[in-house]
């Protein structure tokens, strides 16, 4: 039975690519969270101004969905980063399993 060759240790260029990837995703997640922050402020204004419960519920649903999308983007970054910087296939599997447990716990 042939064994699968182990992944080689990440090089400075793969580390740089992973850092760049992470930086892009951090900006994406932060931008999403800032939009959600605006949505939540709008919700507070809606409640304080006496808007209907249905209107508020609709906007709460939109904010909740936006938060879910931000969460999944952040988790996708976590998985991609784990794959990019792992020293071996075994470590990659462990990191992906770790991300899966986080998804199971918080999603």
């Amino acid at each position: 039975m042939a064994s699968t060759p182990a992944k080689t240790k990440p090089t400075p260029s793969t580390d740089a690519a992973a850092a760049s990837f992470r930086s892009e995703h951090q900006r994406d997640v932060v931008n999403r969270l800032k939009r959600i922050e605006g949505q939540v402020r709008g919700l507070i204004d809606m409640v304080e101004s006496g808007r209907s419960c249905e209107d508020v519920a609709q906007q709460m649903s939109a904010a909740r969905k936006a938060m879910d999308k931000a969460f999944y983007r952040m988790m996708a970054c976590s998985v991609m980063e784990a794959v990019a910087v792992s020293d071996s296939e075994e470590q990659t599997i462990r990191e992906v399993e770790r991300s899966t447990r986080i998804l199971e716990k918080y999603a």
Side-chain angles (χ1 to χ4, degrees):
M1 182 173 188
S3 65
T4 306
K7 237 176 144 178
T8 58
K9 186 154 179 72
T11 64
S13 63
T14 58
D15 287 344
S20 173
F21 179 79
R22 182 183 190 124
S23 178
E24 288 178 35
H25 276 80
Q26 283 176 331
R27 280 192 303 274
D28 177 50
V29 170
V30 166
N31 288 337
R32 289 172 184 271
L33 292 172
K34 286 180 179 180
R35 284 193 297 274
I36 294 164
E37 180 181 33
Q39 285 178 299
V40 171
R41 276 196 232 102
L43 278 163
I44 292 168
D45 291 341
M46 289 175 75
V47 171
E48 290 178 342
S49 67
R51 295 281 297 268
S52 76
C53 292
E54 185 174 352
D55 289 346
V56 173
Q58 181 180 20
Q59 290 306 308
M60 281 183 171
S61 176
R64 187 178 66 239
K65 287 178 185 178
M67 183 63 91
D68 286 343
K69 286 181 182 181
F71 171 79
Y72 288 117
R73 289 293 293 161
M74 185 268 316
M75 288 305 303
C77 178
S78 172
V79 171
M80 295 298 288
E81 188 175 69
V83 170
V85 301
S86 292
D87 292 337
S88 66
E89 186 175 327
E90 183 179 312
Q91 183 181 1
T92 300
I93 291 168
R94 278 196 313 266
E95 290 299 319
V96 170
E97 285 175 349
R98 180 180 168 274
S99 293
T100 301
R101 283 190 303 275
I102 292 170
L103 281 168
E104 289 170 344
K105 184 174 182 178
Y106 297 114

